[in-house]
């Protein structure tokens, strides 16, 4: 049986999460200052998780520990899924129960380099659907917020909240699209010449797809961007600064909060992979919403022409994929 949504005061959880994000953001600022003031000490330490580009800092861990302790005090019956506890081996099975899904620092690589494009991302899922999203970038001093069915907003200092998208949606088409992709931490490829070989390695599939979307053709995209923080990528698509964001390999804590913000701005989070029968029947293929824990996502902004334009763009990205589907385990 699904969880009774009416027993959760979404506004109260939202307001509390906004305050939590600001306090956690201050920890990021302080942690960054300390790191750069003491470059030769423990404060500057970075640990590799899966490989040398999958990083965690002490600030990631401290922020997550702080967030967990605050949630336990205020919402003791809610569950928690977080990037660092999961990496440390915690069991994190998503079910229908209200669950905070948190990335303490999304964009860790940027954080380590002193690049301001990073954020704390706090999502709340109920019945496996993202209901609340709070994304705060302390270095940019920008906060994105949303409650499902109540709109999404960008908050900047000394300004009234701005409703997303920031401009009325324009038509959406592949040959005018500005698409975000990410290289990701999974860099396994079958050889030095990834584009010339046939492989089912995720990194090869991505490289071929980027190539197909970018190379000169009547449908080549306007451009491709790679900013390094999934949560802010989703905010950027929600705002209308980019048309789509395609990535395989990120996790529910990277996308949960941004999903609500995108949805409330008229965007659509669909599967990063095409459905089974896609190649045989492109016209008839269904463009389904992604699953939260699926690790393959294609986020598309609101379009003047509505869902049809969004689905056409999704199908074009899928048609551009080469080398198989992306496959990611848990
Ligand atoms: C990563 C960033 C990156 C995305 C990766 C994520 P992290 O999160 O969002 O942009 O490409 O898939 O894992 O490790 O910085 O929290």
């Amino acid at each position: 049986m699904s969880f009774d949504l009416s027993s959760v005061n979404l506004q109260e959880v939202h307001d509390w999460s906004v305050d939590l994000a600001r306090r956690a953001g201050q920890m990021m600022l302080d942690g960054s200052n300390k790191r750069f003031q003491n470059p030769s000490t423990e404060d500057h330490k970075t640990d590799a998780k899966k490989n040398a580009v999958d990083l965690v800092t002490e600030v990631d861990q401290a922020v997550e520990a702080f967030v967990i302790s605050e949630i336990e005090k205020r919402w003791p019956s809610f569950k928690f899924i977080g990037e660092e506890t999961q990496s440390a081996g915690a069991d994190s099975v998503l079910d229908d129960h209200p669950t905070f899904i948190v990335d303490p620092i999304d964009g860790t690589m940027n954080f380590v380099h002193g690049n301001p494009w990073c954020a704390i991302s706090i999502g709340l899922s109920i019945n496996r659907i993202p209901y609340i999203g709070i994304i705060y970038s302390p270095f940019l001093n920008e906060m994105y917020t949303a409650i499902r069915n109540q709109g999404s907003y960008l908050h900047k200092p000394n300004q009234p909240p701005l409703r997303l998208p920031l401009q009325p949606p324009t038509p959406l088409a592949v040959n005018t699209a500005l698409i975000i992709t990410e290289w990701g931490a999974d860099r396994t490829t079958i050889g030095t010449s990834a584009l010339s070989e046939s492989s089912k390695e995720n990194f090869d599939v991505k490289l071929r797809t980027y190539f197909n979307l970018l190379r000169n053709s009547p449908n080549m995209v306007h451009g491709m961007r790679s900013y390094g923080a999934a949560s802010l990528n989703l905010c950027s698509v929600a705002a209308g600064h980019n048309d789509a964001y395609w990535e395989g390999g990120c996790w529910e804590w990277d996308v949960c909060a941004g999903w609500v913000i995108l949805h409330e701005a008229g965007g659509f989070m669909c599967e990063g992979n095409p459905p089974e029968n896609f190649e045989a029947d492109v016209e008839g293929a269904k463009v389904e919403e992604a699953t939260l824990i699926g690790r393959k996502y294609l986020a598309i902004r609101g379009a003047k022409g509505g869902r049809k334009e969004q689905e056409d763009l999704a199908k074009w990205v899928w048609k551009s994929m080469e080398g198989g589907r992306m496959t990611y385990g848990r």
Side-chain angles (χ1 to χ4, degrees):
M1 220 177 65
S2 61
F3 192 86
D4 175 14
L5 189 61
S6 67
S7 65
V8 181
N9 183 332
L10 293 175
Q11 189 67 50
E12 198 180 345
V13 181
H14 165 279
D15 296 351
W16 179 85
S17 302
V18 166
D19 179 61
L20 180 69
R22 288 212 187 273
R23 289 186 288 149
Q26 188 58 49
M27 287 179 76
M28 287 170 67
L29 293 174
D30 295 344
S32 178
N33 283 338
K34 229 169 138 196
R35 284 172 63 79
F36 284 103
Q37 278 161 17
N38 304 297
S40 58
T41 67
E42 278 290 293
D43 291 325
H44 211 79
K45 211 168 130 242
T46 298
D47 284 329
K49 290 191 280 191
K50 190 179 69 191
N51 62 24
V53 292
D54 190 12
L55 302 181
V56 60
T57 68
E58 288 181 355
V59 188
D60 292 72
Q61 288 162 337
V63 172
E64 183 156 318
F66 165 71
V67 168
I68 291 173
S69 73
E70 292 300 299
I71 290 172
E72 280 172 355
K73 276 189 261 169
R74 182 63 186 82
W75 311 100
S77 66
F78 287 12
K79 294 177 127 187
F80 179 85
I81 294 177
E83 173 166 28
E84 304 317 333
T85 33
Q86 157 98 0
S87 303
D91 185 16
S92 62
V93 179
L94 183 65
D95 61 20
D96 288 348
H97 209 78
T99 305
F100 277 102
I101 304 184
V102 175
D103 192 344
I105 302 182
D106 182 39
T108 302
M109 184 62 85
N110 286 340
F111 178 78
V112 164
H113 286 263
N115 177 322
W117 192 262
C118 52
I120 169 153
S121 175
I122 303 175
L124 183 80
S125 138
I126 305 172
N127 297 322
R128 297 165 219 233
I129 295 169
Y131 268 91
I132 292 175
I134 310 294
I135 295 174
Y136 177 48
S137 169
F139 299 95
L140 306 172
N141 207 347
E142 290 187 343
M143 167 95 75
Y144 291 87
T145 63
I147 302 177
R148 201 174 180 88
N149 302 325
Q150 296 185 36
S152 51
Y153 297 88
L154 165 60
H155 309 255
K156 292 180 175 195
N158 308 317
Q159 283 186 34
L162 301 164
R163 179 120 195 205
L164 303 182
L166 295 174
Q167 286 96 26
T170 52
L172 193 56
V174 66
N175 62 359
T176 55
L178 194 56
I179 292 195
I180 308 173
T181 58
E182 292 286 351
W183 306 103
D186 178 359
R187 307 283 174 85
T188 308
T189 173
I190 49 147
T192 49
S193 181
L195 290 179
S196 65
E197 311 230 20
S198 122
S199 156
K200 294 211 183 314
E201 291 291 355
N202 292 317
F203 193 54
D204 292 341
V205 173
K206 284 185 181 178
L207 292 181
R208 289 201 187 88
T209 307
Y210 301 162
F211 178 75
N212 291 339
L213 287 167
L214 283 167
R215 72 171 153 189
N216 192 359
S217 81
N219 274 314
M220 69 178 162
V221 295
H222 265 183
M224 209 172 260
R225 301 288 180 266
S226 188
Y227 302 113
S231 59
L232 292 173
N233 291 347
L234 290 169
C235 293
S236 161
V237 175
H241 296 148
N242 287 276
D243 297 302
Y245 164 39
W246 180 68
E247 184 170 358
C250 46
W251 297 83
E252 51 272 25
W253 46 81
D254 295 310
V255 299
C256 180
W259 193 309
V260 197
I261 292 162
L262 176 76
H263 179 269
E264 289 307 303
F268 181 37
M269 182 73 119
C270 61
E271 282 291 338
N273 272 341
E276 281 299 307
N277 62 347
F278 180 64
E279 289 75 7
D281 181 14
V282 172
E283 270 305 301
K286 281 213 165 99
V287 183
E288 307 273 11
E289 189 171 40
T291 48
L292 190 46
I293 60 167
R295 304 198 59 199
K296 299 165 293 285
Y297 313 98
L298 173 55
I300 301 180
R301 70 161 168 83
K304 188 162 190 232
R307 182 56 65 90
K308 170 81 173 73
E309 278 182 10
Q310 292 175 319
E311 293 194 357
D312 286 349
L313 186 70
K315 287 185 180 180
W316 189 263
V317 173
W318 291 343
K319 270 202 268 186
S320 306
M321 287 177 69
E322 192 185 324
R325 304 310 200 239
M326 297 181 288
T327 51
Y328 293 94
R330 298 289 308 163

